[in-house]
Amino acid sequence: MTTSTKELHVTTGATVWLTGLPSAGKTTIAYELAGRLREEGHLVEVLDGDEIREFISAGLGFSREDRHTNVQRIGFLAELLARNGVKALVPVIAPYSDSRDAVRKRHQESGAAYLEIHVATPVEVCSVRDVKGLYAKQAAGELSGLTGVDDPYEEPESPDLRIESQNQTVQESATAVHALLTERGLA
């Protein structure tokens, strides 16, 4: 590979939005993919939903309106990064299809690449994983509005890729996303 080809290859930005239920495996897959992409020389940022809520969306609650605002803020930041040559990996629940569609539209309007990955892990598997203890709190009556349990999650109708993380390893899931990036000329 010549230097100019490599430079072009490495500076192609994109947003990879990983949507799914809490404890579906979105963040774990994103960090696995990020490591692989960095080893290949790509600029990569993981826009973790929990970190975004703490630093950029502090003060927002979990109403439909606040969730939409949070997703739009993350979408803006991801598009900005993608437009500037960074692979923005976004493991965020983003439960509403209209919010995700608005993010996709923002990317289309700017010409930034956008891939929607549905980490389609069933709620029964997510509640066993229960990484943050949210399902246990909801079951104990200490939490309400848990996405996919007592708050809606609108599954993507036609994502660029659907991953059933309960049927494969984290490495296999990350490899599937990497293969899609490669197929689209983004990795």
Side-chain angles (χ1 to χ4, degrees), residues 80-102:
L80 182 67
L81 290 167
R83 243 188 320 121
N84 286 282
V86 176
K87 302 287 187 298
L89 309 183
V90 186
V92 174
I93 296 168
Y96 301 110
S97 57
D98 62 339
S99 297
R100 294 188 307 264
D101 290 346

Side-chain angles (χ1 to χ4, degrees), residues 68-88:
H68 179 77
T69 299
N70 185 50
V71 168
Q72 296 317 297
R73 288 177 182 177
I74 298 167
F76 171 80
L77 184 55
E79 186 270 333
L80 182 67
L81 290 167
R83 243 188 320 121
N84 286 282
V86 176
K87 302 287 187 298

